Amino acid sequence: MIYLDNCATTKPDKEVVKVMMKALTDDFANPSSLHSFGLKVEKEIDIARKSAADLIGANADEIYFTSGGTESNNIAVHGAILKNKRMGKKIITSKIEHASIYDQFKHYRDLGYDVCYLDVDEFGRVDIDKFKRELNDDTILVSLIYVHNELGTINNVKEIFEIVKSKNKNILCHVDGVQAVGKIPVNVRDLGCDTLSFSSHKIYGPKGMGALYKKRDLNIESLVIGGGQEKGLRSGTENVPGILGFGKACELTNRDLEKRLVHAKEIKKYLLERLDKNLDDYKINTPENSTNFIISLSILDIRAEVLLHYLEGDDIYISTASACTSNGTHKSNTLEKIGLSDKYSEGTIRICTSKDTTREDIDIFVEKLVKYVNEIRKIMR
């Protein structure tokens, strides 16, 4: 099997699975229990929390475990708007955010908030000059994706947040960091954000786990009330196997990040070279300033979903767009907003490599890709 859909999810690391199995079979106590068994599990959660914090340059008491990036984004956005609602009614994001941000802003627009969806350029980058014109005294929240889930584009959120805080330090800044953590170095202190979301299953951890970084002196309301877990921000009995698996994934990512980044750069370079030599009539939508793990590739005169099914017949797995909706078959809003023509958008696939992707994988993938593109073009043309 050649798995190139690692933006949708990654294969859990063997060490992660081992930790989770131990939690399920041996360390099964409720961490809220008063006895020593519960206290032992609580201490293991503390270690996982520190590992998550270390990965993004935070303090352990600024990390809150959630069910994933979507919940983390919801807690952050909802909490920020409730906190600052007396300051104003304007909230700012971009036109190509993940649905867990984009749809929240639509919800608040329906409630009467002044929602600004910023335009992006052909590579998905926010225009900073346009952003400056939109930022005003009524602004209460700015939320932006750090690494784009379809394009791999890295937004300059640090510069944008510096502009925000120079305008009014009380405007809250949220980062959707789900596709950034593990794919580029991330440090919340350097970014200057108030909140940042990240997810376990994007960094070789279990699904159904994520975390929210919340700046220590920031108080926001919870979405889930009752029980008081996670210092009241996210009540509910802790998912101990998930948390410990996530913590191990964070530890391994932090330890091996530089090696993974070098490997991804080499694989991306090799992939682009192989495409250049073997494929014609295509377009790369991913800019140079991007994570090396993601390539958005538009191929002329094919249907991407047809190509996907051809490839899966050879146990090669890619995606056509973001896989974070229920089935991933919707027309990509991102490709429309970056101005990609229909003749290219219909043939757009997303290739997401991992720490385990090899040159041999790329050789086989490109060979099969070219073969099936030619077959599809004979029909389409």
Side-chain angles (χ1 to χ4, degrees):
M1 180 176 72
I2 297 174
Y3 184 74
L4 298 172
D5 195 18
N6 291 280
C7 295
T9 197
T10 52
K11 180 181 179 180
D13 191 279
K14 289 180 180 178
E15 290 188 55
V16 168
V17 175
K18 182 178 179 181
V19 165
M20 294 182 70
M21 288 299 295
K22 184 175 183 296
L24 286 166
T25 55
D26 299 333
D27 300 329
F28 55 84
N30 189 323
S32 297
S33 297
L34 294 178
H35 47 64
S36 59
F37 192 11
L39 181 61
K40 175 179 180 291
V41 175
E42 183 182 18
K43 288 181 177 178
E44 290 178 353
I45 289 176
D46 290 341
I47 294 171
R49 197 182 309 277
K50 186 176 187 308
S51 294
D54 289 345
L55 180 57
I56 62 168
N59 295 314
D61 64 355
E62 297 174 309
I63 297 296
Y64 299 81
F65 290 119
T66 70
S67 65
T70 292
E71 185 185 359
S72 296
N73 281 335
N74 272 263
I75 293 172
V77 169
H78 178 73
I81 292 173
L82 282 182
K83 181 176 180 60
N84 278 351
K85 63 183 180 180
R86 292 181 179 84
M87 274 177 48
K89 300 283 281 186
K90 186 164 188 176
I91 53 180
I92 301 175
T93 191
S94 83
K95 288 184 175 179
I96 60 169
E97 297 293 309
H98 184 270
S100 61
I101 295 291
Y102 193 92
D103 290 350
Q104 272 197 93
F105 274 61
K106 283 171 60 179
H107 168 73
Y108 279 102
R109 182 185 61 193
D110 294 342
L111 293 178
Y113 282 80
D114 177 14
V115 176
C116 171
Y117 289 103
L118 295 167
D119 289 324
V120 294
D121 67 13
E122 63 178 314
F123 294 117
R125 294 173 297 214
V126 169
D127 186 313
I128 292 180
D129 289 332
K130 288 183 180 178
F131 170 75
K132 288 178 181 177
R133 291 195 291 271
E134 289 290 347
L135 188 66
N136 61 23
D137 293 334
D138 202 41
T139 305
I140 61 173
L141 168 67
V142 177
S143 176
L144 291 172
I145 198 165
Y146 194 1
V147 170
H148 195 267
N149 50 303
E150 289 183 48
L151 303 173
T153 305
I154 302 172
N155 259 317
N156 194 346
V157 294
K158 178 181 178 180
E159 181 180 354
I160 291 171
F161 292 162
E162 285 174 350
I163 295 166
V164 171
K165 295 300 185 179
S166 67
K167 175 75 174 178
N168 182 348
K169 62 183 175 65
N170 293 317
I171 300 172
L172 293 177
C173 297
H174 174 61
V175 177
D176 178 350
V178 168
Q179 292 290 353
V181 174
K183 292 184 176 70
I184 61 171
V186 174
N187 186 295
V188 291
R189 304 284 180 235
D190 184 57
L191 293 178
C193 58
D194 296 291
T195 52
L196 180 142
S197 59
F198 57 118
S199 182
S200 165
H201 74 112
K202 310 296 187 181
I203 59 168
Y204 316 99
K207 299 173 186 64
M209 274 306 307
L212 175 68
Y213 157 77
K214 179 178 71 67
K215 205 170 180 178
R216 181 181 285 164
D217 58 357
L218 173 64
N219 294 313
I220 58 176
E221 291 189 25
S222 171
L223 290 175
V224 181
I225 297 170
Q229 290 88 352
E230 296 301 298
K231 292 186 287 186
L233 188 65
R234 205 274 184 177
S235 293
T237 302
E238 296 90 343
N239 173 8
V240 176
I243 289 172
L244 300 190
F246 184 22
K248 175 56 72 171
C250 289
E251 176 194 327
L252 298 175
T253 299
N254 199 19
R255 184 193 72 189
D256 298 336
L257 184 60
E258 185 58 37
K259 181 172 68 175
R260 293 180 186 181
L261 296 181
V262 169
H263 174 72
K265 184 176 181 179
E266 292 173 352
I267 291 294
K268 179 181 178 180
K269 182 174 182 289
Y270 187 66
L271 171 59
L272 293 177
E273 288 172 352
R274 296 288 291 156
L275 290 173
D276 182 57
K277 289 179 181 177
N278 294 279
L279 187 65
D280 56 18
D281 294 335
Y282 71 90
K283 182 179 186 299
I284 300 292
N285 305 307
T286 301
E288 289 187 12
N289 177 31
S290 66
T291 173
N292 288 311
F293 290 89
I294 303 174
I295 289 287
S296 174
L297 172 65
S298 295
I299 307 170
L300 197 62
D301 295 334
I302 71 154
R303 295 294 297 272
E305 63 271 22
V306 175
L307 178 60
L308 180 150
H309 293 306
Y310 270 70
L311 288 168
E312 72 178 355
D314 290 314
D315 284 338
I316 300 172
Y317 299 97
I318 58 168
S319 70
T320 56
S322 170
C324 295
T325 55
S326 60
N327 56 25
T329 59
H330 69 295
K331 183 176 180 180
S332 170
N333 174 65
T334 295
L335 300 181
E336 178 184 343
K337 298 307 180 186
I338 66 173
L340 193 67
S341 64
D342 286 344
K343 66 180 182 179
Y344 275 110
S345 62
E346 289 178 355
T348 299
I349 61 173
R350 182 182 66 174
I351 304 160
C352 296
T353 62
S354 79
K355 64 182 178 66
D356 301 314
T357 306
T358 66
R359 286 187 171 222
E360 290 74 21
D361 291 336
I362 298 302
D363 286 337
I364 296 169
F365 165 65
V366 172
E367 176 189 347
K368 296 294 186 180
L369 175 76
V370 172
K371 175 186 175 183
Y372 295 136
V373 164
N374 290 336
E375 289 184 17
I376 295 168
R377 279 175 172 170
K378 286 178 181 178
I379 300 168
M380 298 285 289
R381 288 175 171 175

